[in-house]
Amino acid sequence: MPSLETPERILIVGAHPDDPDAFCGGSVAAWTDGGAEVWYLIVTSGDKGVPDAETDLTTFTETREQEQLSSAEYLGAQGVTFLRYLDGEVFDSLELRERITLEIRRFKPDLMITHDPLTRNYRQHPDHRAVGFAALHSAFPTSHLPTFFPQHAQDGYESHVTRQVLLFGSDKPDTFIDVGATFERKIEALEMHVSQEAAFHGALRERMGQRAETAGEQSGQYDLAEAFLFVDLG
Ligand SMILES: [Zn+2]
């Protein structure tokens, strides 16, 4: 395994409400139990994840944001920033990099976690790819170099080096976090996303359990784990 330094400040950049909880909620609980500070940055508010086309989208996205705020708090995160891009319409644009860069310079993480944009072996939402690329490009080089978005420094947000990145949803994971003690809390956090019950097909525990067991086997040391690909930006 690559040597992941114990993180103290963790920024998680996800495409939709519930992505951080589904991909790394057990790790978030383990890290916050250990005293780390965690912040979520959610790029869309999941407005396409609706049961039917008649649903009032304003109310629905408010519901999804509330669900994410509750579950993040339940896992010990400090807070959530919503960028409110439209679901399914995200691109790795300079504008999105500027928004993510501002959060990096504001929160100053030593570890950033986001989607693996290059995963190939299973279906991947286009927003996951776009957000993964935009977050990586924001961690390096844009948040590093003060010449990118110099207005941030004028507003008090200096450039920042995020030394470590973990990518979730990877087809080549090499870093595993033990979630044996926190798996139950992860499931409870995911169950707080009541609007997504239909999407989980009532098999949330089974699906997440299988995923955690597979990652545990891959780790060679844990019963239940979450899997990541490590990127060293130090
Ligand atoms: Zn998603």
Side-chain angles (χ1 to χ4, degrees), residues 15-16 19 115 128:
H16 310 106
D19 282 336
H115 303 270
H128 293 190

Side-chain angles (χ1 to χ4, degrees), residues 45 57-69:
S45 292
L57 287 185
T58 308
T59 319
F60 184 73
T61 52
E62 281 170 12
T63 300
R64 292 212 66 182
E65 290 185 6
Q66 278 306 323
E67 291 169 351
Q68 180 64 98
L69 285 165

Side-chain angles (χ1 to χ4, degrees), residues 68-202:
Q68 180 64 98
L69 285 165
S70 301
S71 68
E73 186 183 359
Y74 187 68
L75 293 172
Q78 290 191 312
V80 184
T81 300
F82 297 101
L83 296 185
R84 302 196 171 105
Y85 281 64
L86 288 175
D87 191 348
E89 303 182 20
V90 181
F91 293 89
D92 171 21
S93 64
L94 199 59
E95 184 205 80
L96 176 56
R97 291 186 202 171
E98 192 269 334
R99 302 291 301 275
I100 298 172
T101 295
L102 181 60
E103 281 298 294
I104 291 171
R105 288 172 172 175
R106 184 187 69 78
F107 186 69
K108 302 197 181 308
D110 48 27
L111 170 66
M112 185 185 79
I113 305 177
T114 191
H115 303 270
D116 182 346
L118 292 175
T119 196
R120 291 155 294 176
N121 293 2
Y122 40 81
R123 70 182 191 182
Q124 169 89 305
H125 194 291
D127 289 348
H128 293 190
R129 287 202 182 90
V131 168
F133 275 125
L136 279 166
H137 297 154
S138 300
F140 183 85
T142 55
S143 59
H144 267 221
L145 300 176
T147 38
F148 280 102
F149 313 121
Q151 72 275 19
H152 289 176
Q154 288 162 20
D155 295 336
Y157 303 110
E158 303 290 341
S159 53
H160 175 73
V161 175
T162 307
R163 288 179 289 102
Q164 315 181 95
V165 176
L166 290 177
L167 302 176
F168 50 59
S170 178
D171 53 8
K172 296 268 183 217
D174 60 4
T175 299
F176 302 89
I177 303 296
D178 181 6
V179 298
T182 56
F183 179 75
E184 218 31 61
R185 234 183 306 160
K186 167 182 178 151
I187 297 299
E188 287 158 7
L190 278 166
E191 285 171 345
M192 291 177 167
H193 296 272
V194 176
S195 71
Q196 299 307 294
E197 230 170 358
F200 295 137
H201 305 297

